[in-house]
Amino acid sequence: MPVYKAPVNDTLFVLNDVLGLERYGNLQGFADATPDMIEAIIGEAAKVAEEALFPINLSGDREGCTRNDDGTVLVPNGFKQAYDQYVQGGWIGLAVPEEFGGQGLPYTLHAAVGEYMSSANMSLMMYPGLTQGAIAAILVHGTDEQKATYLPNMVGGSWSGTMNLTEPHCGTDLGLLRTKAVPQDDGSYKISGQKIFISAGEHSMTDNIVHLVLARIEGAPEGTKGISLFIVPKFMVGEDGSLGARNGVSCGALEEKMGIHGNSTCVMNYDDATGYLIGAENKGLSAMFVMMNEARLGVGLQGLSIAETAYQNAVAYANERIQGRSLSGAKAPDKKADPIIVHPDIRRSLMTIKAFNEAGRAFVLWTALKSDIAHRSQDEAERQNADDLLGLATPILKGVLTDKGFDHAVMAQQVFGGHGYIEEWGMSQYVRDARIAMIYEGANGIQALDLVGRKLALNGGRAVMAMFKEIGDFCEENRGDEAMVLYTKGLKKGLNDLQASTMWFMQNAMAKPDNAGAGSTDYMHLFGLVTLGYMWAKMAKAAQTALAAGDPREDYLKAKLVTAKFYMERIMPETALRKVRIEAGADTMMELAAEAF
Amino acid sequence: MPVYKAPVNDTLFVLNDVLGLERYGNLQGFADATPDMIEAIIGEAAKVAEEALFPINLSGDREGCTRNDDGTVLVPNGFKQAYDQYVQGGWIGLAVPEEFGGQGLPYTLHAAVGEYMSSANMSLMMYPGLTQGAIAAILVHGTDEQKATYLPNMVGGSWSGTMNLTEPHCGTDLGLLRTKAVPQDDGSYKISGQKIFISAGEHSMTDNIVHLVLARIEGAPEGTKGISLFIVPKFMVGEDGSLGARNGVSCGALEEKMGIHGNSTCVMNYDDATGYLIGAENKGLSAMFVMMNEARLGVGLQGLSIAETAYQNAVAYANERIQGRSLSGAKAPDKKADPIIVHPDIRRSLMTIKAFNEAGRAFVLWTALKSDIAHRSQDEAERQNADDLLGLATPILKGVLTDKGFDHAVMAQQVFGGHGYIEEWGMSQYVRDARIAMIYEGANGIQALDLVGRKLALNGGRAVMAMFKEIGDFCEENRGDEAMVLYTKGLKKGLNDLQASTMWFMQNAMAKPDNAGAGSTDYMHLFGLVTLGYMWAKMAKAAQTALAAGDPREDYLKAKLVTAKFYMERIMPETALRKVRIEAGADTMMELAAEAF
């Protein structure tokens, strides 16, 4: 019953009209990505998402995963076939260098495609998603031998990957972790300990699973300075690449979760498992952060993905379900009632989600393009600027798109009334699935702290100044454009609130760091509101430009202008509230004794 | 693992210090409710909630209900025993007149007790909860014979009740309903049709189930003007009160839901079932509204209840879980990390929920007291004023406390990080259970429309003027009180936004009703923010008065003042945003064609 159609036109509008991808032909891999090729790839991705992944999304939720007594894990019916179709399409390696079996295409394209895949089946996409994170870490920190041993099979999808950070007593605070690594004479390590919440930790969709595991080498310093990263394959890999004996790692249990039932979330037991150091000794956290940053973009994308699917279903229901009459007179007089899309309160929900999703899509692709520039540009200043903005945008994208993605899945569910609460309609699944994205890869409170506590001050505030400059320049460039006033006015007002709040932190959080913590979540959302508002202003500009040029997508482009206006009128004003909260500071918040709660 | 402790001290603070219940001795049933007796009843209710209901809450969610092939329904283990304990305590009839087996005590007390029960086990409490709604309808609209036949057994709990409104094609718009009633020679009717989403529709915890069913008498007018209400017992009742043959009503299926798994949500099939008209022919909706209004208060209460349980668990976790160090220096230097309650962002969540729950509790009891005054006062003017405020408060209480209750269950879940997503910790259940309260008994969008479209204009705006006067008078009375300025200033600012928005509707929604619909949800929340702010100002006043009198609850009372300040600093400012959104009107929201979504 649920529906999903990949928003191909919208992706192409962002890539071509808003970001002007063709202008980046000088970046490695971009020359191959001609408009025609992009359209073909996006279209093919849409097909895979709609036809292979989406039809088993609801059934995957119902069936869930099962752990057999021997520790093997069964995934839902159809997952293996769909996974095979996905990897055979070469989707894992879309943006991976060709020397490791990838296609070397823009990461931006990978992100565009990723949205569709997670919209269609988030649980299933987590299997290759984790592999992609592990690939990123090995690409950056692995030795040539490690790259040669692991990457081709991972890129090809016959091996998958995982990230093993969390232990029962430590999640955010990795300094507490206890899993230990004992050096062996042959240069390898024996890894022992327990990891929990390991997504895709065990299954038999792939021939091998490459676990990346944080552990502490015997005798290493306490805290985060004594953590190293290890490769622990499920099956040992011979020098010729052949698979050997089972390694000492196994799935002890599956977690019973609120959602993402199709993904096997495992308790993983390491019992003298053979592991290989990746990156430098005691520098495991920075190696892991390569995966984390990649993963955070992927998780932010999940927020958008689920909100998009939930939205599409709410729109379909609002057009079909007849109930009551329009306040301004019957709109479907031939029927016993009007479709509920005529009711303003239903419109309010649909417009709100639409306004966030379309700006969220632009934000994701804008950020992904920064990643491409940061990694592929020949110009050092350009690389640095892009890298600054990527680092700044990552926690905002993760925190805001997943908070809003969840809120909007709930909002879309509400459109269904009682039917939204019944599992067969699928809306419950979107809500339950979307919920995890606010938590994993760093709970959103941690994203907010990363933004306020690290990213703001980094390099003397270079990144945030660059962002303010980019938005300010845009407003300045369009100062003379009468048709843009509606959008730049709202954007400027939001930017002022953001700049004032940034200043407030500078003046009040140095001496009293709790003031930063107290305002961090509000600041993250304030930054998100302004950034998404910037995306709307850019989209409005692109739509006006295209309309002026006689573009045939007239209705589509005009709808962009209406939605941009809606954002500026009803959503952007939230910046003022966020500013007030930030400026309230920490005093009242921290005043009560712990016992008073 | 989950914890729950009834907030007895807080209930008593509201009843005694804030509402001054002892001042209402002139109301019927209130003279019996001496402070000592109230404390004893509240204490006993706390015990039942904590010891009988709460221990089977999580297991009830896991086990759910099962329909056997013969149409009977099994409830989770322990539910029958806990239900028996609940009814043997006389809790169903606490506020029901003594002549029907009740105790005739204040409804306010019933509401206070109800919070604990739903906090402890919402699914289980829905069985007697639906009975209470049915009792209310029979009390008001039943004939003496119907009252004598049904009420004593329902009040005693050996029979239960249900509400049957929704059909597959009609929920909000009851005018579309098709279930038909064919008059019989003996004055009864034959009822046929299908009802869905019927809570507690079938089970064997009681000897009989009294279904109240909306149906259309053959030949009745179309739309809502042709709907009548019927009593349809599961087992026929003989003239001597004995149970006879099974009536033609059965459970066709159980709905598979996102939450409230312990409650049997049924598809009910009526197949020439014998029914008895209750109330006047074709006046079924108004009879049903007696149940609905009672039920809406009960559902609003559920929002508070779940938020309270979720909050208590988040507080416990935040005090136990150690992770990271305080930004202002180690707070537990003897441990490897500080408890996470030291982190401002965790505090932000806990303080926000606390501020809403305590004000929500006051709002519920304030509203329940209005209900008591409306039904029991000897003074007509007093009755009318109370009835006006009750009618106005009902949609706000239902809509705001359930929207916020859900948001705060999610917020509390977030405190647990990954553990919040795992079913064994119970936080997922609170979120899943709380979700339904935003939907049933009129989805919250409908509450907002009821408020803006009906309650505002009723009797020339008498109710809203009375509310503004009550709040304005409070501010005026405390104008000279320096210690109250902090609270009355915030309250007045909020009240100004509310009054301005009310005026905006008067000026802009008459000619264009879509402007009312477009702002309705924001207006409901604006009204809620101000009303909860009013509760905080009243609580601050009561705390200051008690402190000045040397009350021994010093820490408790001072915490009230801090939380009141938090509300005024960080939550009340949202009124300005709501006002901006309302004044944005319907134009942009309604501009797109349905196909543009």
Side-chain angles (χ1 to χ4, degrees), chain B residues 227-562:
Chain B
I227 298 174
S228 305
L229 183 63
F230 298 88
I231 296 176
V232 183
K234 175 178 166 183
F235 290 102
M236 301 303 293
V237 183
E239 287 196 8
D240 60 349
S242 65
L243 295 183
R246 185 68 195 261
N247 201 354
V249 48
S250 61
C251 166
L254 289 183
E255 304 282 5
E256 198 189 323
K257 311 179 301 286
M258 183 175 177
I260 52 167
H261 293 153
N263 198 272
S264 66
T265 307
C266 302
V267 174
M268 298 301 293
N269 295 324
Y270 291 85
D271 188 13
D272 275 346
T274 299
Y276 309 99
L277 186 68
I278 171 168
E281 211 170 289
N282 297 337
K283 299 282 183 201
L285 273 198
S286 68
M288 189 53 102
F289 259 100
V290 173
M291 293 173 72
M292 284 291 273
N293 278 329
E294 168 114 7
R296 283 174 178 181
L297 290 181
V299 172
L301 193 56
Q302 289 177 337
L304 167 64
S305 292
I306 299 292
E308 174 66 28
T309 311
Y311 166 78
Q312 290 190 17
N313 282 278
V315 168
Y317 190 80
N319 275 308
E320 278 163 22
R321 175 79 169 177
I322 61 167
Q323 207 81 182
R325 286 292 182 196
S326 165
L327 294 173
S328 57
K331 294 288 180 293
D334 54 316
K335 294 186 180 146
K336 288 207 161 184
D338 289 333
I340 60 173
I341 199 167
V342 306
H343 302 309
D345 196 58
I346 297 288
R347 286 273 179 152
R348 175 186 60 81
S349 298
L350 297 181
M351 285 297 293
T352 300
I353 311 177
K354 182 177 170 68
F356 268 99
N357 285 358
E358 294 179 14
R361 182 170 298 118
F363 182 29
V364 164
L365 298 176
W366 178 89
T367 307
L369 181 56
K370 297 294 180 202
S371 174
D372 275 326
I373 298 170
H375 293 112
R376 304 184 187 197
S377 171
Q378 306 296 319
D379 181 312
E380 198 191 322
E382 202 178 64
R383 274 206 311 274
Q384 186 192 76
N385 173 271
D387 194 54
D388 284 347
L389 292 175
L390 171 64
L392 183 72
T394 299
I396 300 168
L397 196 153
K398 196 280 182 181
V400 174
L401 294 195
T402 62
D403 272 1
K404 291 296 177 184
F406 174 76
D407 285 350
H408 295 156
V410 171
M411 207 179 247
Q413 182 187 32
Q414 189 74 10
V415 169
F416 282 71
H419 298 275
Y421 200 65
I422 304 300
E423 294 291 348
E424 69 177 293
W425 289 83
M427 302 308 288
S428 165
Q429 183 190 359
Y430 306 137
V431 171
R432 291 183 290 97
D433 284 358
R435 184 66 186 89
I436 190 58
M438 296 160 71
I439 298 174
Y440 62 16
E441 305 311 337
N444 287 354
I446 300 302
Q447 305 299 327
L449 272 186
D450 176 45
L451 175 64
V452 171
R454 277 192 68 238
K455 300 292 170 66
L456 266 196
L458 210 61
N459 300 310
R462 202 172 64 198
V464 73
M465 299 313 286
M467 187 68 188
F468 293 167
K469 183 173 183 317
E470 182 168 327
I471 300 176
D473 286 354
F474 177 88
C475 291
E476 191 55 33
E477 280 158 27
N478 290 285
R479 207 155 62 108
D481 187 343
E482 271 302 312
M484 281 296 291
V485 170
L486 185 63
Y487 314 104
T488 51
K489 214 178 114 192
L491 178 56
K492 262 190 217 162
K493 169 71 179 65
L495 183 61
N496 284 344
D497 287 338
L498 178 59
Q499 287 175 322
S501 295
T502 309
M503 189 64 75
W504 191 88
F505 280 134
M506 288 185 189
Q507 291 164 344
N508 296 280
M510 304 289 186
K512 191 168 178 180
D514 275 349
N515 274 331
S520 55
T521 288
D522 285 298
Y523 187 79
M524 178 179 78
H525 279 283
L526 170 52
F527 219 131
L529 286 161
V530 173
T531 305
L532 295 176
Y534 172 46
M535 295 300 137
W536 268 120
K538 283 172 78 78
M539 289 193 283
K541 181 75 184 178
Q544 286 176 350
T545 304
L547 279 168
D551 193 300
R553 296 169 297 176
E554 195 179 337
D555 287 348
Y556 173 83
L557 295 167
K558 284 185 172 164
K560 280 275 177 255
L561 297 176
V562 173

Side-chain angles (χ1 to χ4, degrees), chain A residues 440-492:
Chain A
Y440 62 16
E441 304 312 337
N444 286 354
I446 300 302
Q447 304 300 327
L449 273 186
D450 176 45
L451 175 64
V452 171
R454 277 192 68 239
K455 301 292 170 66
L456 267 196
L458 210 62
N459 299 311
R462 202 173 63 200
V464 73
M465 300 314 285
M467 187 68 187
F468 293 168
K469 182 172 184 315
E470 180 167 331
I471 300 176
D473 285 354
F474 177 88
C475 291
E476 191 55 32
E477 280 159 25
N478 290 284
R479 208 155 61 108
D481 187 344
E482 271 303 312
M484 281 297 290
V485 170
L486 184 63
Y487 314 105
T488 50
K489 215 177 115 192
L491 177 56
K492 263 191 218 161

Side-chain angles (χ1 to χ4, degrees), chain A residues 44-55:
Chain A
E44 185 57 29
K47 242 177 90 174
V48 173
E50 295 166 7
E51 295 171 15
L53 304 181
F54 190 63

Side-chain angles (χ1 to χ4, degrees), chain A residues 344-353 355-356 404 408 411 486-487 490 529 536 562-577, chain B residues 448 504-505 514-525 574 576-591:
Chain A
D345 196 59
I346 297 289
R347 286 272 179 153
R348 175 187 59 82
S349 300
L350 298 181
M351 285 297 293
T352 300
I353 311 176
F356 269 98
K404 291 297 176 185
H408 295 156
M411 207 179 247
L486 184 63
Y487 314 105
L529 286 161
W536 268 121
V562 173
T563 313
K565 187 164 56 154
F566 180 88
Y567 187 91
M568 294 302 168
E569 283 177 356
R570 292 185 63 103
I571 297 172
M572 199 67 154
E574 193 183 317
T575 58
L577 172 62
Chain B
W504 191 88
F505 280 134
D514 275 349
N515 274 331
S520 55
T521 288
D522 285 298
Y523 187 79
M524 178 179 78
H525 279 283
E574 193 184 317
L577 172 61
R578 297 292 183 175
K579 175 170 170 283
V580 168
R581 286 188 183 157
I582 290 164
E583 293 177 355
D587 289 351
T588 309
M589 192 181 282
M590 304 306 284
E591 194 171 339

